[in-house]
Amino acid sequence: LSRRQRQMCKETVSELQIAEFAAGLSERDKKILEMKMKGHRLQEIAEAVGYQTHSAVLKRIRHIADCYEDFISEEYQKYLETF
């Protein structure tokens, strides 16, 4: 595979992993993640999901990030078990 093709494969795998991870999130957390990835400010996200302050959104983003880290670790462990 060319360098460009390898990069495209990596991007596709990343998108699939994010989609698989997101499928397990609550609707509110999905909305937070989606809006954050689109570049919305924390206060905008707070208003959209019914939080009073941006700090609540920040806490949820940290929680989502922790969950994503656990998800990736589990996926990597599954990968290692294939050898």
Side-chain angles (χ1 to χ4, degrees), residues 36-80:
K36 181 64 177 159
M37 291 175 74
K38 288 183 178 180
H40 290 272
R41 292 178 303 117
L42 295 178
Q43 189 58 46
E44 291 175 307
I45 298 169
E47 292 168 7
V49 299
Y51 288 140
Q52 292 183 6
T53 65
H54 72 280
S55 64
V57 173
L58 187 56
K59 287 177 186 174
R60 287 309 301 166
I61 289 172
R62 287 180 180 147
H63 175 75
I64 293 167
D66 289 343
C67 290
Y68 186 68
E69 188 175 307
D70 291 344
F71 173 81
I72 291 300
S73 294
E74 290 171 12
E75 289 297 304
Y76 185 65
Q77 186 60 41
K78 289 178 196 174
Y79 170 75
L80 290 177

Side-chain angles (χ1 to χ4, degrees), residues 1-2 4 7 9 13-14 18 21 25 27 33-35 41 44 49 51-52 60-62 64-65 67-68 73:
L1 293 174
S2 71
R4 173 86 173 121
Q7 182 61 32
C9 286
V13 168
S14 293
I18 290 170
F21 169 73
L25 296 175
E27 290 303 314
L33 182 59
E34 175 187 321
M35 291 183 74
R41 292 178 303 117
E44 291 175 307
V49 299
Y51 288 140
Q52 292 183 6
R60 287 309 301 166
I61 289 172
R62 287 180 180 147
I64 293 167
C67 290
Y68 186 68
S73 294

